[in-house]
Amino acid sequence: MKVDVNGRSHEEEPRPGQCLRTYLRDRGWFGVKKGCDQGDCGACTVHVDGRPVHSCLYPAFRADGRTVTTVEGLASPEGDLHPVQQRFLDAQGFQCGFCTAGFLMTTAALDEDALEDLPRAFKGNLCRCTGYRAIEDAVRGVKNVEAPAPGESVGRSLPAPAGPQVVTGTARYTFDIEVPGLLHMKLLRSPHAHARIMSIDTSAALRVPGVHAVFTHQDAPERHFSTARHEHPEEDPDDTRVLDDTVRYIGQRVAAVVADSEGAAEEGCRRIEVTYEVLPAVLDPEDAMRPGAPVVHDKDATLHRISRPGDNVVGEAHGEVGDVEAGFAEADVVYEDTFRTQRGQHASLETHGAVAWFDEDGRLTVRTSSQTPFLTRRALCALYDLPPEKVRVVAGRVGGGFGGKQEMLVEDIVALAVLRLRRPVKLEYTRAEQFYGATTRHPFTIHVKAGARRDGVLTALQLRVVANTGAYGNHGPAVMFHSVGESMAIYRARNKKVDAYSVYTHTVPAGAFRGYGLGQVMFAVESAFDELARRIGMDPLEFKARNVIGAEEPMVTPGGHEEDLHIASYGLDQCIGVVRRAQADDAGAGLPAPEGWLVGEGAALAMIATGPPGGHIADARAALLPDGTFDLAVGTAEFGNGTTTVHKQIAAGELATTVDRITVRQSDTDVVRHDTGAFASTGTVVAGKATLRAARALADMLLDFAAAHLRVPRARCRLADEAVTHPGGRLSLKELYAAARAVGVEVAADGTFGGTPRSVAFNAQWFRLAVDPGTGEVRILRSVHAADAGKVMNPMQCRGQVEGGVAQALGSTLFENVRIDARGEVETAAFRRYRLPQYADIPRTEVHFMETADAIGPLGAKSMSESPFNPVAPAYANALRDATGVRLTELPFTRDRVWRALREAGVPDGGVGGSS
């Protein structure tokens, strides 16, 4: 075989059955990504003789005699970017960037006719981060980036530092490296929802050529731990083993096979013989709490931090302020209903995976797709009795997270293999494993009861919440507690009551997901308040505006006020104003409704804490380099959240320089002392504050040293680009560095922030919808989002976070659903069975930022990565109710479900909507 790849000839024969994607990656063309292996996501798109193909479906042998171009080959031999690459840079048409090579290769092959129909052109490409607006801007040649200016970085739309690497395919994600002597791991998984392993025969597996080892529960540590990663491990139940002799869901790992190739490891898994004692299983959380239900974890409650193991309750919250019964008696109208939300998959295009080895110093080094490298190192050390200095954990560029990578799902088993074999080992999840072997969003059942007087005063709010945490309690109690926090605190009511339960079942575990439970409960609360307002004859937005918490009011939940949580800036009134203006602009914006369709509008509000309770630690270090540029070391990971850009902007502003003169090292346990991780919207408000403190300390150090060195008053010295100025002239930073080194001074400074006190951010979403009463089809005519992010560090990036959050939430609202059958098996273990939002599904959302400056966040900033998700589903539900008169209470709102609800409510095919 002979194939030309980007002008380089390759003559190696492919393996039997090998696809072109793996053939190319085996030869170092790492710009070709693995997202699905089924032709669904487009991340692997390359050109074969100028035509785009999904290389995961293209047999490698068919490339014989052909010319293949990957993203690395788009640029000219002289290094000039292809026009499409430049447009993606100018528009910043990416976030995590894992899908970007595929979009570039698809776009580069479009002719003029195809450019006129982008929904069709991009039907084979998926993006989970951007919401597609930035991608469309890139295709259309819209320039969104601004030029840097010395000392004027914050508040400007500066480009991501890794942008050139992303668009040329040279950004290095977890597996985009060559590791000599690499072995491959595959996992045997349970076919039963609940069973005890009676015996495992691995002898046939060990006879497979190329198999080096098979690991079972007999090889695993006896210790229990939680896969969830938090700064304080005691927040989560210790209910998990690396490999267990009891399996509790279909898909749980039973054994690990390590071999020379993935094929040999897979064959080894097939030859393992396991004898199971099948045990009774429970799949529904309400059934799980009933007397006599099968017990998922028969463990000591105190030792393993499980609330009531015998009742399958891993965590619970109960509380009341005031007297809800008196509040309902006072009400003129009481609304009561039950709302349900489904399982969802994070669907980050880079699957979970890790590769580990021993470095030349004998340290265990783990390269992983993780949001929490420091906490993962801590967990590995505890699990295997290793000192921290003997373990290094590194996250390369991470291909999406959304909370799903705030877990230790692969690193523990890979470390076990490396410690035993003393060889490099790699484990990379397939797309199917992401569905049945990773985690999901928690499904919730929320019973809400609310009462109000006819003057619009909310008199009582009562919730009963049941969250299905699945077979393991990772994040279960924390998600449950958070779900009934800000969702209740945002509204003022003298009487509130909550009973909430996080419940074990024999299903795939749930975990952290964007919004961390708030989106599920806010769907119920915001829908209920919309309905309550209609029943007292008041505009729903006016009703909510009358009852939302004010800027100076305490945030009260039945669980009590968190002492470190404050309203340090207030933009909720501005958010409501944005929605009111959108409501008033009936003819001025949005798409027209098709004739005969029902039209309605709806809004929802949301509040979220900017960081988790109990502390979230970030360390940063800023240093002057010999050439007069700066090095910034931060622990937080980059996965499309844009923190790398923001940290450079913060540091550049403090150091009176431009972002291009700052190099960032990050997400590596060798870089700084500690970083809790990139989750809970902390990348800017916590890690950014550590960066701010480090940069300020370094700026002071530079001025102090320059003043002493020059023998001039400190007050007469100023930092300028590449120098310290003083009355007698300029001392270049190169000269300053040399002078400091000459006297043994290291020009570096540290910054730390512990994540407390905390502030809150606000959001509002508004939709205008049109509904076809004959088919249940819904079209979004207009989407408006108001975001109170405090001082916006980078408007372009922040807008992208909002658009991506709205798009992901729309997927959850409209069709995403991890379905589980009567046995407990996931039925939707592929993108083509689990519907993700495509380009054609997502409207352009008008994003408005409020004018606030937070008293706690760095330079006035607040968080904005999770919060846009939360008000989307209820806003859509309220608009649907306004259009049709029908209240849908169960997500997702699939077309057939909408149609059925309209028929059951007696809405005629040509009926009139907008009933109240």
Side-chain angles (χ1 to χ4, degrees):
M1 174 170 167
K2 185 175 182 180
V3 56
D4 179 284
V5 182
N6 301 328
R8 188 183 305 172
S9 179
H10 294 277
E11 299 186 9
E12 302 89 345
E13 289 295 318
R15 298 188 299 272
Q18 186 174 27
C19 69
L20 183 58
R21 181 188 66 80
T22 58
Y23 182 87
L24 293 169
R25 286 187 60 83
D26 285 350
R27 279 140 195 86
W29 302 110
F30 294 128
V32 186
K33 301 301 185 204
K34 167 194 166 180
C36 65
D37 275 337
Q38 292 187 318
D40 295 328
C41 75
C44 68
T45 303
V46 301
H47 293 175
V48 177
D49 289 343
R51 296 185 60 186
V53 301
H54 287 180
S55 61
C56 69
L57 298 181
Y58 194 94
F61 76 86
R62 287 185 56 191
D64 186 17
R66 300 180 184 274
T67 297
V68 175
T69 304
T70 73
V71 67
E72 293 98 327
L74 274 185
S76 71
E78 295 75 30
D80 296 326
L81 293 181
H82 187 282
V84 169
Q85 291 172 311
Q86 188 61 56
R87 291 202 295 271
F88 268 75
L89 265 186
D90 291 342
Q92 293 285 281
F94 53 86
Q95 284 183 28
C96 85
F98 202 79
C99 71
T100 304
F103 273 98
L104 284 165
M105 300 308 293
T106 297
T107 304
L110 297 180
D111 58 23
E112 290 301 319
D113 289 340
L115 286 170
E116 294 302 314
D117 190 1
L118 291 183
R120 181 177 181 84
F122 287 142
K123 66 179 182 179
N125 291 83
L126 293 174
C127 175
R128 191 56 157 167
C129 297
T130 65
Y132 297 103
R133 189 272 316 159
I135 293 173
E136 181 181 357
D137 283 355
V139 175
R140 303 299 186 202
V142 177
K143 186 171 184 177
N144 293 321
V145 299
E146 296 181 64
E152 299 178 6
S153 296
V154 170
R156 299 171 68 87
S157 294
L158 301 185
Q165 290 75 42
V166 168
V167 302
T168 56
T170 55
R172 290 295 176 247
Y173 296 81
T174 306
F175 296 118
D176 295 343
I177 58 170
E178 295 181 9
V179 181
L182 184 65
L183 301 178
H184 300 266
M185 177 183 286
K186 285 293 181 180
L187 300 174
L188 176 69
R189 296 183 178 274
S190 169
H192 304 293
H194 191 200
R196 185 176 295 111
I197 297 173
M198 306 305 293
S199 67
I200 301 181
D201 185 350
T202 63
S203 56
L206 289 167
R207 290 195 295 269
V208 173
V211 169
H212 288 255
V214 180
F215 299 102
T216 71
H217 65 271
Q218 296 171 340
D219 304 292
E222 291 289 339
R223 288 187 178 94
H224 287 83
F225 63 97
S226 173
T227 64
R229 299 292 94 221
H230 283 116
E231 179 60 36
H232 305 290
E234 61 273 13
E235 294 179 13
D236 306 296
D238 284 341
D239 57 10
T240 305
R241 286 184 63 198
V242 175
L243 291 165
D244 207 332
D245 58 357
T246 298
V247 291
R248 297 177 174 87
Y249 67 97
I250 295 176
Q252 180 170 333
R253 59 196 190 193
V254 171
V257 179
V258 181
D260 289 330
S261 67
E262 289 189 0
E266 288 172 350
E267 182 60 26
C269 288
R270 284 189 285 269
R271 297 197 186 187
I272 297 173
E273 296 182 6
V274 185
T275 302
Y276 296 96
E277 178 191 358
V278 179
L279 302 172
V282 60
L283 308 182
D284 180 83
E286 294 285 1
D287 292 341
M289 289 191 288
R290 292 191 175 101
V295 175
V296 180
H297 287 277
D298 186 11
K299 293 179 170 66
D300 181 87
T302 302
L303 181 63
H304 294 275
R305 296 190 296 276
I306 300 171
S307 179
R308 288 185 283 130
D311 298 321
N312 292 316
V313 176
V314 62
E316 55 192 316
H318 306 281
E320 183 174 8
V321 292
D323 183 340
V324 293
E325 291 305 321
F328 290 130
E330 179 189 352
D332 294 311
V333 175
V334 174
Y335 173 77
E336 187 172 7
D337 211 335
T338 300
F339 294 78
R340 293 179 174 83
T341 66
Q342 78 283 31
R343 285 178 179 84
Q345 231 294 318
H346 306 81
S348 51
L349 288 193
E350 182 190 40
T351 61
H352 282 80
V355 56
W357 64 89
F358 281 103
D359 67 14
E360 61 274 10
D361 297 322
R363 286 195 307 170
L364 175 65
T365 301
V366 182
R367 182 179 173 91
T368 177
S369 181
S370 173
Q371 297 173 229
T372 59
F374 288 80
L375 299 187
T376 298
R377 179 181 67 170
R378 178 193 290 173
L380 292 175
C381 289
L383 193 57
Y384 295 112
D385 294 319
L386 299 170
E389 64 271 15
K390 287 296 184 180
V391 180
R392 179 188 182 191
V393 177
V394 180
R397 190 172 179 88
V398 178
F402 316 112
K405 293 173 181 175
Q406 192 192 338
E407 306 272 357
M408 186 173 70
L409 298 180
V410 293
E411 299 90 344
D412 58 328
I413 190 74
V414 171
L416 172 66
V418 174
L419 289 168
R420 296 292 182 86
L421 298 174
R422 316 298 290 187
R423 291 275 304 274
V425 176
K426 168 188 173 183
L427 171 60
E428 182 178 14
Y429 273 14
T430 64
R431 180 53 57 186
E433 285 180 300
Q434 285 294 112
F435 282 97
Y436 54 68
T439 61
T440 71
R441 188 182 189 221
H442 281 77
F444 269 62
T445 300
I446 310 104
H447 186 83
V448 57
K449 184 177 181 181
R453 300 198 310 246
R454 293 205 179 276
D455 61 359
V457 173
L458 184 66
T459 62
L461 173 62
Q462 182 174 356
L463 297 179
R464 182 182 184 273
V465 173
V466 176
N468 185 348
T469 198
Y472 291 89
N474 45 301
H475 296 282
V479 166
M480 179 270 301
F481 280 116
H482 191 241
S483 73
V484 294
E486 294 95 283
S487 60
M488 298 189 78
I490 187 174
Y491 286 104
R492 181 193 318 112
R494 293 193 305 274
N495 309 295
K496 297 179 182 179
K497 184 178 181 180
V498 66
D499 293 286
Y501 308 86
S502 181
V503 184
Y504 284 127
T505 60
H506 291 106
T507 59
V508 59
F513 192 104
R514 200 174 203 165
Y516 213 66
L518 279 180
Q520 292 95 314
V521 175
M522 283 181 153
F523 164 58
V525 171
E526 289 290 306
S527 296
F529 286 177
D530 187 273
E531 199 66 37
L532 191 60
R534 293 175 184 278
R535 296 186 182 195
I536 63 173
M538 182 176 288
D539 172 73
L541 186 63
E542 177 60 26
F543 174 79
K544 293 174 183 180
R546 290 190 184 189
N547 289 286
V548 291
I549 190 171
E552 304 298 327
E553 296 181 56
M555 290 172 282
V556 179
T557 69
H561 176 61
E562 296 175 31
E563 293 300 323
D564 74 331
L565 190 60
H566 308 276
I567 300 177
S569 64
Y570 188 81
L572 185 53
D573 52 349
Q574 296 179 49
C575 291
I576 293 171
V578 168
V579 173
R580 281 180 168 147
R581 288 190 291 276
Q583 288 177 325
D585 188 15
D586 281 334
L591 301 174
E595 185 176 352
W597 288 36
L598 311 176
V599 178
E601 61 182 51
L605 311 178
M607 178 176 75
I608 192 170
T610 59
H616 189 106
I617 299 168
D619 289 321
R621 184 172 178 81
L624 179 65
L625 298 177
D627 63 355
T629 63
F630 297 94
D631 175 81
L632 177 63
V634 294
T636 190
E638 173 64 61
F639 51 97
N641 46 1
T643 54
T644 311
T645 317
V646 169
H647 291 170
K648 290 183 74 166
Q649 289 179 266
I650 292 172
E654 296 300 312
L655 295 167
T657 188
T658 52
V659 291
D660 57 297
R661 295 185 60 78
I662 298 176
T663 301
V664 176
R665 294 179 296 125
Q666 64 190 129
S667 54
D668 182 340
T669 57
D670 274 7
V671 164
V672 293
R673 292 189 302 270
H674 184 71
D675 189 281
T676 298
F679 63 88
S681 303
T682 56
T684 293
V685 297
V686 177
K689 195 155 186 173
T691 291
L692 176 67
R693 289 176 172 177
R696 279 184 176 171
L698 178 59
D700 285 340
M701 177 181 287
L702 293 173
L703 293 172
D704 287 343
F705 183 85
H709 177 71
L710 296 168
R711 300 181 185 277
V712 299
R714 162 74 154 72
R716 304 295 299 276
C717 296
R718 294 286 184 274
L719 265 180
D721 194 27
E722 303 184 47
V724 173
T725 63
H726 57 95
R730 291 166 55 91
L731 175 67
S732 75
L733 294 181
K734 289 182 182 180
E735 293 171 321
L736 190 156
Y737 179 89
R741 286 302 300 268
V743 295
V745 174
E746 182 185 11
V747 192
D750 296 313
T752 298
F753 183 51
T756 184
R758 301 175 295 146
S759 185
V760 293
F762 299 99
N763 294 76
Q765 175 69 41
W766 177 84
F767 288 112
R768 181 182 291 122
L769 306 177
V771 185
D772 183 348
T775 66
E777 180 183 350
V778 181
R779 294 184 189 176
I780 299 175
L781 304 180
R782 192 178 177 199
S783 171
V784 176
H785 193 98
D788 173 21
K791 171 65 176 178
V792 178
M793 300 283 100
N794 186 309
M796 173 183 63
Q797 280 193 171
C798 197
R799 181 177 68 159
Q801 288 290 301
V802 172
E803 291 168 337
V806 171
Q808 192 173 40
L810 277 172
S812 178
T813 302
L814 299 179
F815 33 70
E816 291 188 46
N817 188 7
V818 177
R819 296 194 303 273
I820 292 180
D821 68 14
R823 295 179 55 251
E825 185 171 8
V826 173
E827 296 181 312
T828 52
F831 280 159
R832 62 188 55 189
R833 293 195 293 275
Y834 180 82
R835 175 94 151 77
L836 281 178
Q838 296 177 296
Y839 179 95
D841 297 315
I842 302 301
R844 288 179 75 98
T845 293
E846 304 165 34
V847 178
H848 302 265
F849 293 119
M850 306 305 98
E851 296 183 1
T852 62
D854 200 69
I856 295 174
L859 304 176
K862 295 198 281 193
S863 65
M864 198 45 58
S865 56
E866 292 186 84
S867 55
F869 188 103
N870 296 327
V872 171
Y876 190 98
N878 293 338
L880 202 57
R881 164 66 169 88
D882 188 54
T884 65
V886 178
R887 171 63 61 187
L888 272 72
T889 59
E890 183 174 355
L891 294 173
F893 298 151
T894 54
R895 182 170 169 178
D896 61 324
R897 186 172 284 172
V898 173
W899 178 86
R900 191 177 302 113
L902 296 182
R903 297 287 77 76
E904 290 173 354
V907 176
D909 289 359
V912 179
S915 62
S916 59

